[in-house]
Amino acid sequence: MTQIPGCVILDDAALEGRNTLRVAARAEILVDVHDVSALPALFELPAFGALPLLVLGEGSNLLFAGDWPGIVLSMATRGIDVLGESGQRTRLRVAAGENWNDFVHWSLARGYRGLENLVLIPGTVGAAPIQNIGAYGVEVAETIAAVHVWDRHDGHARVLDATACTFGYRDSLFKREPDRYLITAVDFELARDAPLRVDYAGIRDELATLGDGEPTASRVAEAVARLRTRKLPNPAVIGNAGSFFKNPVVAADLAATLSGAHAGMPAWPSVDGMVKLSAAWLIEQAGLKGYRDGAAGISAQHALVLVNHGGATGAALLGVAKHVARTVKERFGVVLEAEPRIVGKRS
Ligand code: FAD
Ligand code: EPU
């Protein structure tokens, strides 16, 4: 295929090293975009009009159910620009291809707070708004000022403010319209004096083990990193995509019935009088923690994590996920929704 400056284009590319579930899928064409200015020429190429297009970050929230029958476009752009400082606040523009955890550490090193609870989440900055990444009581939407996109519908670059992104729990405009927006950069507003958030279960205890003294943003990040490392399997050791299901948000009467039948079931108030349940708890109670079907299974370390023990196909992993969702529905009447995007040709 024609080469475009600012991009690297490869035919028939292996994707096994580009998804953290380590599924051996392939793409007809793989494009690494190193310079945003290449986008207009790239989208003029006939193949871009003819073939399905998948935007890829670090592949930590994707399940390739099969090969991708078209173009995979990976944002590999870099750069963090300070747009302005005012008192304790700063506004930053971060390129989509920057690594999320590196950016968190960049902000901590400069004394900016707001991202410390989101340390160690895999993936790129460009993917962070897609599902409004969240952890330990904080969602990234709280610090996003604007998202820069290439609108694939009309071939124009635009800027969406945070309100236009309609962020929710593991949700956004981008997740609801997966084939429209290519995120090119994200603007953040961070503050040196933002309050630290230490209420999420486990943070205070972990801070106490780190020693006396006032907590700092770096200490909160260290506490969260320790909790995460203990709880979640490491994708460098065993293929996984983090939580495979969202925590289900159910009607209050269903939650009350389940709480009555299962003393100690975790449940948290959610939006509009609904109740958020723990998908991990439901899966573990259904007897599926550590479940295995060949190389595909559920982590024995955390019941919400689908794992590839080595060589599992996307179809096999999807089969295990369906078995889990079916079993939880039969046992508790609760529908589990996948968190990662499931892509590729299903057999
Ligand atoms: P990918 O997996 O490559 O893509 C995810 C989605 O975003 C796809 O739909 C893709 O098309 C789209 N996309 C990616 N980049 C762009 C772009 N530039 N423009 C448009 N669309 C794009 N998530 C949490 O919220 N909280 C957690 O605590 C958390 N912990 C995790 C722990 C582990 C061990 C793992 C493996 C994953 C975890 N995740 C967590 C999920 C994942 O890290 C996030 O969803 C992350 O934002 C995905 O980034 P990525 O670059 O890998 O995106
Ligand atoms: N639990 C079990 N069995 C398990 C693990 C957990 O029963 O094997 C129960 C426990 O009762 C625990 C509860 O589940 O109290 C919650 O567990 P945890 O704190 O690990 O959080 P989670 O609900 O499983 C969510 C996010 C994570 C995020 C953590 C921390 C979702 C889908 N997942 O997990 O995000 O890191 O909270 O905030 O909301 C991801 O999205 O990929 C992800 C890892």
Side-chain angles (χ1 to χ4, degrees):
M1 196 163 138
T2 329
Q3 293 296 323
I4 304 267
C7 302
V8 177
I9 303 178
L10 203 67
D11 288 323
D12 185 25
L15 300 173
E16 189 169 357
R18 293 197 180 230
N19 70 100
T20 60
L21 268 165
R22 292 201 225 144
V23 172
R26 301 191 78 81
E28 266 184 49
I29 299 168
L30 175 66
V31 184
D32 284 309
V33 177
H34 295 273
D35 189 337
V36 158
S37 66
L39 290 178
L42 202 53
F43 277 87
E44 286 294 316
L45 293 176
F48 273 69
L51 294 171
L53 177 76
L54 172 71
V55 184
L56 182 68
E58 292 180 11
S60 65
N61 213 27
L62 279 175
L63 167 58
F64 283 100
D67 292 337
W68 180 257
I71 303 166
V72 168
L73 184 156
S74 172
M75 289 303 287
T77 51
R78 297 280 187 274
I80 303 177
D81 295 321
V82 178
L83 300 179
E85 308 239 8
S86 157
Q88 299 294 310
R89 306 184 70 79
T90 190
R91 190 166 168 136
L92 305 167
R93 182 159 303 158
V94 188
E98 286 285 341
N99 174 268
W100 174 260
N101 189 48
D102 290 350
F103 169 52
V104 172
H105 285 286
W106 184 98
S107 71
L108 286 170
R110 283 153 186 82
Y112 288 111
R113 292 173 168 190
L115 304 180
E116 51 278 4
N117 296 48
L118 304 178
V119 71
L120 227 55
I121 297 180
T124 52
V125 167
I130 303 286
Q131 71 157 6
N132 178 20
I133 56 169
Y136 292 86
V138 173
E139 289 183 340
V140 73
E142 297 169 46
T143 54
I144 290 180
V147 177
H148 297 250
V149 298
W150 172 267
D151 188 339
R152 289 162 56 190
H153 280 187
D154 61 10
H156 281 102
R158 43 180 119 261
V159 185
L160 304 175
D161 66 18
T163 311
C165 299
T166 54
F167 291 115
Y169 164 63
R170 297 295 190 272
D171 196 29
S172 72
L173 167 74
F174 313 109
K175 202 159 181 179
R176 292 190 292 275
E177 289 198 68
D179 296 322
R180 178 158 185 190
Y181 298 107
L182 167 60
I183 294 179
T184 53
V186 183
D187 287 358
F188 294 88
E189 280 218 6
L190 303 178
R192 292 184 194 278
D193 57 356
L196 294 174
R197 309 276 284 277
V198 295
D199 288 339
Y200 194 93
I203 298 184
R204 285 185 202 279
D205 288 348
E206 202 61 39
L207 281 170
T209 69
L210 289 174
D212 295 333
E214 276 298 294
T216 60
S218 294
R219 273 181 167 221
V220 172
E222 172 69 14
V224 168
R226 285 176 176 227
L227 285 164
R228 292 184 64 96
T229 305
R230 270 208 306 277
K231 282 190 185 181
L232 290 169
N234 179 352
V237 177
I238 184 165
N240 75 83
S243 302
F244 194 81
F245 297 101
K246 294 187 199 177
N247 283 325
V249 177
V250 303
D253 55 350
L254 174 57
T257 306
L258 290 171
S259 291
H262 307 279
M265 181 187 77
W268 301 272
S270 183
V271 288
D272 302 330
M274 310 272 279
V275 178
K276 192 190 267 184
L277 306 180
S278 160
W281 187 90
L282 295 167
I283 294 167
E284 181 163 352
Q285 297 305 308
L288 292 168
K289 188 168 179 173
Y291 170 82
R292 198 167 165 167
D293 181 7
I298 294 298
S299 168
Q301 192 180 340
H302 197 300
L304 201 42
V305 183
L306 184 71
V307 287
N308 181 353
H309 290 279
T313 61
L317 289 160
L318 195 54
V320 168
K322 284 183 176 166
H323 173 66
V324 169
R326 204 180 309 120
T327 309
V328 166
K329 176 78 172 74
E330 282 165 10
R331 178 85 191 271
F332 299 104
V334 175
V335 176
L336 291 183
E337 196 184 319
E339 181 193 281
R341 182 165 170 200
I342 298 166
V343 295
K345 248 195 292 187
R346 300 185 196 189
S347 44

